[in-house]
Amino acid sequence: EQFSQEVELGGTTDYGMSIELFSGVTNTFKLEAVNLPAEINRYFIDAVSGNRLSQFQFTEGVNTRQIALRVFLPERPTSLVVMDESISFYAVSIPRERADEIGDLRTRNLSPAELEALDIGYTALELVPRGIGEILVRAPQLFHTIEAGGTVEVAIEVVNEGTRRLDNVEVEIDAPF
């Protein structure tokens, strides 16, 4: 339904899909996400029940299923999960009787031509990791006592705990009268 999505690092998103059966020969299929880096956790869910799926079956009289691929991005960028660089991958459905023959696709990097040659169902998806700046202000001591006309020094630490660079940060104070 939405093939390309932008997701904050440390966030999660769902790719909703409608799976249709055009043949009566096979009715049980294994689901895989191909070409996703290992740092990105993922699993398929049934859109109706919310249950996790590794396989699904079309029952008699039902030729359409609603599923979703849920992906979880790591908290920080990695060598394979780079901010603002798109990651192209595929969601595939493999007939159960061919699953052993085809093997584990999660560890392989497949081109569209290789997927076409496998003669399995697939759809191309895209993910763009995004970062966000997150300012944290730390003050080890919040209360100070001074004499009238006196001065005080207050140590404050400003930290970017987010994943995106912050520029032009200004610190303003609201001093007492």
Side-chain angles (χ1 to χ4, degrees):
E1 296 170 3
Q2 184 61 42
F3 75 93
S4 180
Q5 296 191 41
E6 295 182 2
V7 184
E8 302 294 336
L9 288 173
T12 183
T13 191
D14 288 348
Y15 290 87
M17 293 177 245
S18 179
I19 307 263
E20 294 183 39
L21 179 65
F22 291 111
S23 166
V25 177
T26 301
N27 65 354
T28 303
F29 296 86
K30 180 180 176 188
L31 297 167
E32 295 284 352
V34 180
N35 295 359
L36 266 178
E39 296 93 344
I40 298 178
N41 291 324
R42 70 290 206 155
Y43 57 79
F44 288 89
I45 58 172
D46 183 298
V48 177
S49 68
N51 295 332
R52 285 188 187 194
L53 300 173
S54 60
Q55 321 182 53
F56 69 95
Q57 183 174 31
F58 288 101
T59 56
E60 190 174 322
V62 175
N63 62 352
T64 303
R65 293 280 305 263
Q66 299 298 318
I67 64 169
L69 172 62
R70 183 165 290 164
V71 296
F72 301 86
L73 266 63
E75 294 287 329
R76 300 278 176 214
T78 67
S79 61
L80 297 174
V81 180
V82 181
M83 278 193 313
D84 302 327
E85 288 188 16
S86 68
I87 300 169
S88 296
F89 64 101
Y90 302 94
V92 301
S93 63
I94 305 164
R96 186 170 65 182
E97 62 272 2
R98 294 194 53 220
D100 290 336
E101 165 198 334
I102 291 173
D104 187 7
L105 297 180
R106 289 176 298 179
T107 59
R108 295 167 51 191
N109 198 359
L110 300 171
S111 69
E114 291 171 310
L115 283 169
E116 199 66 43
L118 288 173
D119 194 30
I120 58 176
Y122 70 93
T123 187
L125 301 171
E126 182 181 75
L127 175 66
V128 182
R130 298 286 189 206
I132 189 167
E134 192 175 311
I135 291 181
L136 176 67
V137 179
R138 294 184 189 137
Q141 186 174 351
L142 298 175
F143 181 77
H144 297 276
T145 304
I146 58 171
E147 298 291 326
T151 62
V152 66
E153 281 188 30
V154 178
I156 295 176
E157 182 180 13
V158 179
V159 179
N160 179 7
E161 287 201 330
T163 53
R164 179 162 300 280
R165 177 181 154 158
L166 294 173
D167 295 317
N168 302 323
V169 176
E170 294 181 23
V171 177
E172 295 181 6
I173 62 166
D174 185 16
F177 296 114

